[in-house]
Amino acid sequence: MSDLLNSGPLNSGPVNSGSISGGPLDKADKEQVRVDRTPDEGREVRRNTSAVHATDVLALVGAAVGSVALTALLFVRIAPFDSVLGFVVVGYMLFVALYAVLVSFDEKGVAVRDRVTAVIWHSLAVLVLAALVFVIGFTLWRGHRALVHLNFFTQDMARTGPLQPLTDGGVMHAMLGTLEQITISLAVTVPLGLACAVFLNEVPGRYARFVRTIVEAMTALPSIVAGLFIYATVILILGVDKSGFAAALALSVMMLPIIIRAADVVIRLVPGSLREASYALGASQWRTVWTVVLPTARSGLTTAVILGTARGIGETSPVLLTSGVNAGLNADPFKDPQISLPLATFDLVRSPQPAYIARGFGSAALLMGLVLLLFVLARLIGGRGPGELTRAQLHRRVLASRRDAERMANRSAPATARTRPEHR
Amino acid sequence: MSAAVPGFGQPDSADPEILDVPRAVRSEGELVDRLFRGAARGSGAVVLVIMLLVGIFLGYRAAEALRVAKGSFLTTSAWEPDSHHFGIAAVLTGTVLIGLVAIAIAVPLALGTALYISEYAPRRLRRTLVSVVDLMAAVPSVVYGLWGAFFLQGQVVGVSRWISTYFGWIPFLKVDGADPHDPLATTTVYTSSTFIAGMVVALMVTPIACSVMREAFSQAPVGEREGAFALGATKWGVIRTVVLPFGLGGVIGGTMLGLGRALGETIAVYMIISPVFAVQSHILQNGANSVSALIALRYGSASTFGMSALMAAGLALFLMTLVVNFIASSIVARSRSGAGAEA
């Protein structure tokens, strides 16, 4: 143990300085110190505390090169394999095995297991991210053929036959339909959903618990069943046509539980001390909710609504049953079928015509772009906990409080002058 | 509470003038407050009515068909409601099989991603990765469906053939009508199968399972993590002995939440499968079905009674996802309360 302590470069420093400044020491002691020092005399190297060592990197690179070479050998020279997927799978398995062997040259069994599992978790995460990038990239790439034509955004499909090229026809009708339907369903779900989330948090009790349970149960409602419900009630019983409005109602039934749950979680995170401070200042419950709770949770609530919108905008199955397919532009959501982007995608790719399929991919790419845009927006606005400020907000807050302090100083100066005589 | 009042008043009873009776604490509230609370309760009631209406209406309309079909609703495979010969044996089996295939693929992916984000990823990257996973959950199902139908379908056929050739002796991996020794055999027996639909649905449920698991892992107590490190554990040691045991509830709950979502998926499945109305347990073979695909397929041509039968199928699907989700959320909730045990 003492060997370990004295020979390390970090420990040798303090030990020596202590014994030298300590004054009289007998020779034997000094020599003992000198003997201990000799292995690293004169050079105090800072110890590398980084967890990454050159050998690790070398082992990774070596295993990668070795596995590719071995797999290539296997596939080209030894066996008549030809599938790309097989190459990747065999190569990956060889890579893990080679890596384990290489690490086991310098490490013990426990460390080898640690390294190998780390490689496996990393590769699973990479696989998921790669799949996501690939799905999105595939859609955008297949869709770009239709997207490069400007008429794709400005025309509808009413006068476009199956054999006409991509320079004719577009999905403007579906874009308008998506816009109108999501606006109507947001107009229904945002006020109702936020009010319900406030209710769940601010008026607790047995009734609120019951409502929360029901809302949580409704998040399990498959979206096609929401569509079926609206189809059977609004369209078959009330006799409303298949229309954008019916589709918006179906989307609302589906989005409402999602928005309520997300908003409920955000409002629950508002610190109780803020509410209590407001009540202690004599504010009523309504004032507290309006001026303390909602502004504190604003960024989270915005994110909840945007993410709910992103879910709703891409839903096809409720719209499939309720909105109907229309090849022409229909700006009136209350009358006649009105198509939307996901439904247009679904409808177009069912056709065997290559031009229709290309248009379907184009509208899918448009939809994907819309969802990406909503996500970037949500990321810019929110993701922050309640009360957490951006730097700009913090700066404004500091300036405001400085102004307040100044104002109070100005106000209190004459006041003290006035009160002083009374005090005397 | 009232019993305490005389005891409290005892010392002061000598002086009745300053007898201190506790003030009745009742917040009557201003008019505005009462209005606010009324409005809040009202909004709760509106939501409640909408939600209950969906459930009750579904049950009411389904009852008509269920009265006719009785027990055979669960055992019949065919779907001919107008001749009163219909049941959900085939579609329910198909739904469950697609869900199981999806979960079998999604769980390792979700587990690996969750562990990577909570344990290995650099701190700066973590928030970005979390929102990327959220994005993955919000990618429209029609986009996944396009990818599955136009890309994956062609790629997976080879894999399906390989699996069925070498593992065909396992009953559910068998493919009827396929001859692995015939090089010119058509590959259509391997297309539009439960397996391909399951793979696509797996991508859709991975982010849901992943975010539940990640949250559970990040709540593993710091004290015990550091204790394990101090005892000389490697990172894998810490994950195996601290993170996974504490996150077990999250893993199970996330898996079941994913299963709930997988069962209800419609469009992606509908775009890939070719519907069959028979119990199809060979997951690699052409032909599959699910309850939601059945509804999407038949709603347009349904008579009043056919609509009622579809409602019954929808109700069965809803009840199934409800049970799965309920079990999942109770497991997740219980695991959270357990994770509070700080060292």
Side-chain angles (χ1 to χ4, degrees):
Chain A
M1 199 63 196
S2 70
D3 244 18
L4 260 177
L5 282 177
N6 286 339
S7 62
L10 279 178
N11 288 313
S12 59
V15 168
N16 288 336
S17 65
S19 53
I20 288 164
S21 66
L25 277 169
D26 45 353
K27 210 155 183 124
D29 220 345
K30 254 186 183 166
E31 263 183 19
Q32 185 61 44
V33 170
R34 179 107 347 129
V35 167
D36 272 346
R37 272 191 74 185
T38 39
D40 48 0
E41 187 163 23
R43 50 190 179 90
E44 273 195 42
V45 185
R46 183 185 285 267
R47 202 198 299 195
N48 182 11
T49 54
S50 159
V52 181
H53 301 288
T55 48
D56 297 344
V57 180
L58 283 179
L60 267 178
V61 173
V65 172
S67 63
V68 170
L70 267 180
T71 324
L73 188 70
L74 185 71
F75 271 62
V76 177
R77 296 277 163 182
I78 298 174
F81 298 151
D82 60 349
S83 100
V84 178
L85 191 69
F87 189 92
V88 173
V89 171
V90 172
Y92 177 71
M93 278 152 72
L94 279 175
F95 168 71
V96 172
L98 280 181
Y99 183 66
V101 170
L102 284 179
V103 171
S104 71
F105 286 154
D106 342 287
E107 306 276 1
K108 292 204 187 90
V110 180
V112 175
R113 276 200 292 280
D114 178 50
R115 299 290 163 75
V116 171
T117 48
V119 163
I120 291 173
W121 301 133
H122 275 76
S123 44
L124 282 173
V126 167
L127 183 62
V128 168
L129 293 185
L132 173 66
V133 169
F134 192 68
V135 168
I136 296 177
F138 179 75
T139 311
L140 296 182
W141 181 73
R142 288 282 302 258
H144 87 275
R145 274 185 55 217
L147 288 178
V148 290
H149 300 293
L150 197 65
N151 58 296
F152 190 69
F153 302 95
T154 56
Q155 293 180 10
D156 60 25
M157 296 292 289
R159 277 187 295 278
T160 307
L163 292 175
Q164 265 163 317
L166 288 172
T167 48
D168 201 77
V171 292
M172 193 201 172
H173 55 314
M175 287 160 66
L176 186 76
T178 286
L179 197 70
E180 285 187 0
Q181 287 167 21
I182 204 75
T183 309
I184 294 175
S185 49
L186 281 179
V188 175
T189 50
V190 168
L192 197 56
L194 293 189
C196 185
V198 166
F199 159 70
L200 292 180
N201 281 283
E202 299 298 322
V203 194
R206 201 176 297 155
Y207 174 47
R209 267 205 303 281
F210 179 61
V211 174
R212 185 176 278 143
T213 313
I214 294 292
V215 167
E216 267 173 26
M218 276 340 245
T219 50
L221 184 79
S223 56
I224 184 102
V225 178
L228 192 65
F229 168 72
I230 294 294
Y231 181 71
T233 51
V234 175
I235 295 178
L236 291 187
I237 294 182
L238 298 183
V240 178
D241 280 345
K242 275 193 174 186
S243 61
F245 180 66
L249 286 184
L251 285 180
S252 306
V253 170
M254 195 215 84
M255 279 165 63
L256 198 54
I258 298 177
I259 289 188
I260 292 176
R261 266 187 77 169
D264 180 30
V265 170
V266 172
I267 294 181
R268 206 182 301 166
L269 287 177
V270 173
S273 55
L274 281 184
R275 278 197 194 100
E276 283 163 16
S278 167
Y279 288 139
L281 288 171
S284 65
Q285 190 173 17
W286 160 244
R287 278 246 149 255
T288 306
V289 167
W290 189 249
T291 56
V292 175
V293 175
L294 289 181
T296 313
R298 183 163 52 199
S299 113
L301 290 178
T302 319
T303 315
V305 169
I306 293 179
L307 296 187
T309 313
R311 280 287 303 280
I313 218 168
E315 271 297 344
T316 319
S317 35
V319 181
L320 173 71
L321 270 61
T322 48
S323 84
V325 174
N326 189 347
L329 189 69
N330 175 18
D332 183 3
F334 296 97
K335 220 180 90 204
D336 295 335
Q338 186 188 43
I339 206 165
S340 56
L341 279 175
L343 190 56
T345 308
F346 178 70
D347 192 52
L348 286 168
V349 298
R350 277 200 295 187
S351 149
Q353 295 296 335
Y356 268 41
I357 293 178
R359 288 192 190 99
F361 271 99
S363 73
L366 214 57
L367 186 65
M368 199 57 240
L370 214 56
V371 170
L372 280 174
L373 185 75
L374 284 172
F375 251 81
V376 171
L377 213 64
R379 182 72 205 273
L380 286 182
I381 293 174
R384 251 172 270 280
E388 275 179 55
L389 303 173
T390 58
R391 284 189 63 169
Q393 281 172 323
L394 199 67
H395 185 65
R396 278 202 294 277
R397 194 68 60 97
V398 166
L399 286 185
S401 84
R402 204 173 282 163
R403 271 199 307 277
D404 282 347
E406 225 167 74
R407 188 162 53 84
M408 283 177 187
N410 285 343
R411 195 200 245 172
S412 63
T416 43
R418 253 204 325 275
T419 49
R420 203 167 282 153
E422 282 174 27
H423 195 68
R424 198 177 282 167
Chain B
M1 206 62 210
S2 59
V5 174
F8 201 77
Q10 206 79 51
D12 291 330
S13 58
D15 195 346
E17 290 279 318
I18 46 169
L19 180 69
D20 200 7
V21 179
R23 184 163 63 101
V25 182
R26 284 192 59 202
S27 70
E28 199 48 47
E30 299 168 46
L31 179 68
V32 148
D33 261 10
R34 267 178 288 160
L35 281 180
F36 163 68
R37 250 174 259 167
R41 284 211 184 87
S43 71
V46 170
V47 170
L48 195 64
V49 164
I50 295 176
M51 298 296 149
L52 287 179
L53 205 64
V54 176
I56 291 170
F57 184 80
L58 216 58
Y60 170 72
R61 285 300 308 274
E64 191 184 330
L66 288 177
R67 263 198 300 275
V68 172
K70 303 223 171 59
S72 72
F73 185 66
L74 290 175
T75 54
T76 312
S77 304
W79 191 266
E80 291 145 16
D82 291 325
S83 57
H84 289 197
H85 181 62
F86 62 98
I88 51 170
V91 285
L92 208 61
T93 323
T95 308
V96 171
L97 278 178
I98 291 176
L100 289 181
V101 171
I103 280 301
I105 298 169
V107 164
L109 291 178
L111 192 67
T113 313
L115 277 178
Y116 173 72
I117 293 177
S118 82
E119 305 298 318
Y120 291 98
R123 209 164 280 275
R124 278 166 298 139
L125 259 182
R126 232 169 256 180
R127 246 189 76 182
T128 313
L129 284 174
V130 168
S131 46
V132 166
V133 170
D134 285 344
L135 170 68
M136 193 172 174
V139 169
S141 55
V142 70
V143 170
Y144 281 116
L146 279 184
W147 184 72
F150 284 83
F151 175 78
L152 201 63
Q153 189 94 274
Q155 308 296 311
V156 170
V157 165
V159 179
S160 294
R161 188 169 54 195
W162 187 81
I163 295 176
S164 76
T165 306
Y166 293 100
F167 297 93
W169 46 273
I170 303 172
F172 67 92
L173 295 178
K174 199 165 160 274
V175 173
D176 289 335
D179 181 11
H181 303 295
D182 177 7
L184 297 176
T186 171
T187 54
T188 46
V189 283
Y190 302 106
T191 55
S192 304
S193 63
T194 306
F195 181 58
I196 301 174
M199 279 179 93
V200 174
V201 175
L203 277 188
M204 308 172 67
V205 302
T206 298
I208 294 167
C210 174
S211 57
V212 175
M213 290 182 194
R214 179 187 53 76
E215 208 155 286
F217 291 156
S218 63
Q219 280 171 349
V222 178
E224 294 181 20
R225 265 174 210 261
E226 287 175 355
F229 275 127
L231 289 172
T234 56
K235 201 158 213 167
W236 168 238
V238 173
I239 292 174
R240 197 168 53 84
T241 54
V242 179
V243 176
L244 285 181
F246 267 96
L248 188 65
V251 173
I252 298 173
T255 305
M256 298 203 66
L257 270 183
L259 183 63
R261 171 89 193 267
L263 294 177
E265 181 43 47
T266 312
I267 285 297
V269 172
Y270 185 60
M271 285 170 83
I272 290 167
I273 62 167
S274 58
V276 289
F277 287 92
V279 176
Q280 165 74 284
S281 59
H282 300 160
I283 59 169
L284 296 174
Q285 193 175 323
N286 181 304
N289 217 333
S290 81
V291 177
S292 44
L294 166 80
I295 296 174
L297 193 67
R298 292 292 173 87
Y299 82 98
S301 57
S303 59
T304 316
F305 184 75
M307 206 63 208
S308 164
L310 285 180
M311 287 280 185
L315 184 70
L317 177 65
F318 179 38
L319 288 181
M320 198 159 65
T321 53
L322 194 63
V323 168
V324 168
N325 272 24
F326 180 71
I327 296 174
S329 58
S330 66
I331 291 175
V332 173
R334 196 170 310 156
S335 79
R336 277 205 192 119
S337 60
E342 181 64 23

